[in-house]
Amino acid sequence: MKSKVFAADWVLPISAQPIRNGVVVVSNDRVLWLGAAVDLPAEFADSPTETRSGVLMPGLVNAHTHLQYTHFDEVGRGSYTSFEDWSDAFGLVYDEVTDPSDWRTAALDGARQGIATGTTVFAEIVTNDEARGSLDACQVTGIEYLEAIGEFGNSWRDGGRDTFLARLEQTSAVPFGVSPHAPYSLDGAVISDLMQIAAERNLRVHSHVGESAVEADLYRSGVNTVLTAYGDLRDEFELVRKGGVGHTTAEYADSIGLLVPTTHLAHAIYLDRAERDLLRARGTQVALCPRSNKVIGLDAPPVAAYLAEGHEIAVGTDSLASSPSMDLMADVALLAVLAREQGYTDDDLYERLVRAVTLGGALAMGVADSLGYGSLTVGGPADLAVFEVHVQGDDVERAVVEQAAGRCTLTVSAGRIVHDSSLAPAVLKSTDAKLAAHSLA
């Protein structure tokens, strides 16, 4: 049995206490053993060893991405006053894409950028099917959530539903799920139907909720100013015709069946305590994307409230159309600052945020208990990331939260090295990311 030893100053399993001078033994795509280097079984003494300074931990879980928009970074470098302002700028660039193959090229580039910063599991929303397959091509995993957007009663009945079902029949090398874009871009009946389709096929669901400050107006009173890009199509909304239904954002999402344990939500900024409690009661997690929110001109996510109220949270970068980079740890660092600014004083902040970017994301996607992602355990997947950070005393989690952004030196997916900072950048940016991967041989 081939095995390889990965060693670091600290091993942070997430599911157990940090290990000083720790090692993780990998065989094929599984973790065979982990513990302190002094306790390494003799049978692994001659195994090849990869030693790095810093902290070795599970590969990160990016719980909200749109990799196909990686080359929309010009939009992400802009300054916006609201979600509606940003969406207008985004729509102009989206309409300029004429070559469908550009979506795959951009998705591959985005996956590589995420991998280079420690991510091995992605919650990837796919709007254009040409972008499918980027995770497998880059030798990482996750769920490709096939997105439905801009569908109303008539369009859904007149071919939209059949077209979406045909997308679900395509073969996929990684698991796929369903992404009803948002309750402000789909009729409620369409989302309810999508939830039924997902349930019948045992598929996970990912959606955007509580992303815009004016979103609640649609559900409450039928006033729809969320997406000006829809133009006259906005009037096709059943909610607009009805004049709303008097619900808050979370109440409306719940009324159409969106809030279930197999769903996780992106953003969830504009929700009050009662709405957040409803999410927790339904077992629906949120993926917070603070840097994206900041670029777009949104309020900061209420991370302190989510933590204090006992939510299991996850973290996402969103896309480069609204975020400075695919470096998930930069979002974690910002969440720590925001949590303290919002009044969170508990000593568990850093531990909770490190969990959010690993096990929290895996739980949100349903790949923790069944597949073992998000933590390092014997028999679990050999997904690792090493960050060259300096730990003071034994405060490992704080060092990771405050220092890890931009300091990933090694990423391992299914036992294969898919990022090594010692390699030449030209190799890491190869069109075929598999050329940059190393086997254990």
Side-chain angles (χ1 to χ4, degrees):
M1 179 184 296
K2 294 189 299 183
S3 63
K4 185 167 184 174
V5 177
F6 293 91
D9 301 320
W10 288 91
V11 169
L12 181 57
I14 304 300
S15 55
Q17 292 299 307
I19 304 167
R20 188 188 296 269
N21 295 321
V23 298
V24 176
V25 181
V26 169
S27 177
N28 297 320
D29 63 350
R30 300 282 106 183
V31 173
L32 196 58
W33 188 89
L34 74 160
V38 295
D39 298 324
L40 182 69
E43 62 187 289
F44 305 125
D46 295 328
S47 297
T49 301
E50 184 81 35
T51 302
R52 298 291 170 114
S53 62
V55 177
L56 185 159
M57 58 188 285
L60 307 183
V61 180
N62 193 331
H64 181 61
T65 63
H66 297 265
L67 297 178
Q68 72 175 78
Y69 303 136
T70 298
H71 294 166
F72 285 15
D73 50 337
E74 62 182 281
V75 181
R77 289 193 295 269
S79 179
Y80 308 95
T81 59
S82 66
F83 177 76
E84 294 70 40
D85 182 26
W86 171 85
S87 67
D88 287 344
F90 174 87
L92 291 174
V93 178
Y94 185 92
D95 290 342
E96 292 175 355
V97 178
T98 58
D99 185 350
S101 67
D102 289 349
W103 297 126
R104 177 170 176 80
T105 301
L108 287 168
D109 193 12
R112 285 193 292 269
Q113 291 184 39
I115 292 165
T117 54
T119 298
T120 61
V121 181
F122 295 77
E124 166 63 351
I125 294 180
V126 178
T127 307
N128 297 82
D129 282 348
E130 292 82 4
R132 295 181 73 171
S134 62
L135 302 182
D136 179 59
C138 292
Q139 299 194 39
V140 290
T141 192
I143 298 175
E144 291 182 335
Y145 294 90
L146 306 186
E147 186 175 59
I149 184 171
E151 293 284 0
F152 311 100
N154 290 334
S155 67
W156 190 243
R157 288 188 295 270
D158 296 341
R161 187 179 196 274
D162 289 341
T163 298
F164 189 83
L165 290 175
R167 295 176 69 193
L168 296 179
E169 297 303 322
Q170 297 179 32
T171 58
S172 178
V174 299
F176 58 89
V178 173
S179 178
H181 172 259
Y184 60 75
S185 64
L186 295 161
D187 260 348
V190 174
I191 293 180
S192 295
D193 193 20
L194 286 166
M195 296 303 295
Q196 182 64 32
I197 290 169
E200 290 172 352
R201 297 174 180 239
N202 196 28
L203 301 176
R204 303 291 298 193
V205 177
H206 185 29
S207 185
H208 304 72
V209 170
E211 183 176 13
S212 167
V214 299
E215 183 179 337
D217 292 339
L218 172 64
Y219 317 129
R220 184 183 303 110
S221 56
V223 177
N224 186 16
T225 58
V226 181
L227 284 181
T228 56
Y230 278 114
D232 293 339
L233 287 177
R234 287 178 292 157
D235 297 331
E236 293 192 22
F237 270 107
E238 183 181 17
L239 282 170
V240 174
R241 296 196 303 271
K242 284 183 174 181
V245 290
H247 287 330
T248 65
T249 296
E251 287 172 343
Y252 178 70
D254 190 44
S255 74
I256 56 177
L258 190 55
L259 303 188
V260 294
T262 52
T263 295
H264 81 282
L265 307 177
H267 304 297
I269 304 166
Y270 299 100
L271 305 179
D272 62 22
R273 174 62 189 267
E275 293 176 278
R276 295 192 299 269
D277 284 349
L278 180 57
L279 261 60
R280 191 155 59 90
R282 297 291 185 261
T284 302
Q285 283 185 233
V286 301
L288 304 181
C289 311
R291 291 189 302 152
S292 174
N293 302 157
K294 186 176 181 180
V295 167
I296 291 174
L298 308 176
D299 291 338
V303 56
Y306 277 116
L307 293 174
E309 293 160 13
H311 290 259
E312 182 84 65
I313 62 171
V315 188
T317 57
D318 214 318
S319 76
L320 293 195
S322 65
S323 185
S325 74
M326 293 298 298
D327 193 338
L328 197 55
M329 290 310 303
D331 283 284
V332 174
L334 179 54
L335 285 174
V337 172
L338 293 173
R340 292 306 191 202
E341 289 178 350
Q342 294 169 5
Y344 191 80
T345 59
D346 289 3
D347 293 336
D348 66 353
L349 175 62
Y350 302 106
E351 181 181 352
R352 294 279 297 278
L353 290 180
V354 170
R355 178 182 171 92
V357 79
T358 52
L359 186 57
L363 288 167
M365 297 169 62
V367 297
D369 296 336
S370 60
L371 299 177
Y373 290 103
S375 63
L376 295 176
T377 58
V378 173
D383 276 32
L384 325 169
V386 180
F387 299 92
E388 192 171 17
V389 300
H390 176 67
V391 178
Q392 293 187 345
D394 59 358
D395 203 346
V396 182
E397 290 91 349
R398 180 168 186 168
V400 170
V401 169
E402 295 183 340
Q403 304 174 38
R407 296 186 179 181
C408 179
T409 61
L410 191 72
T411 308
V412 177
S413 174
R416 299 180 295 263
I417 297 176
V418 290
H419 163 70
D420 186 337
S421 63
S422 67
L423 295 180
V427 174
L428 295 176
K429 293 180 180 179
S430 167
T431 300
D432 184 352
K434 292 184 179 180
L435 297 177
H438 297 264
S439 69
L440 296 181

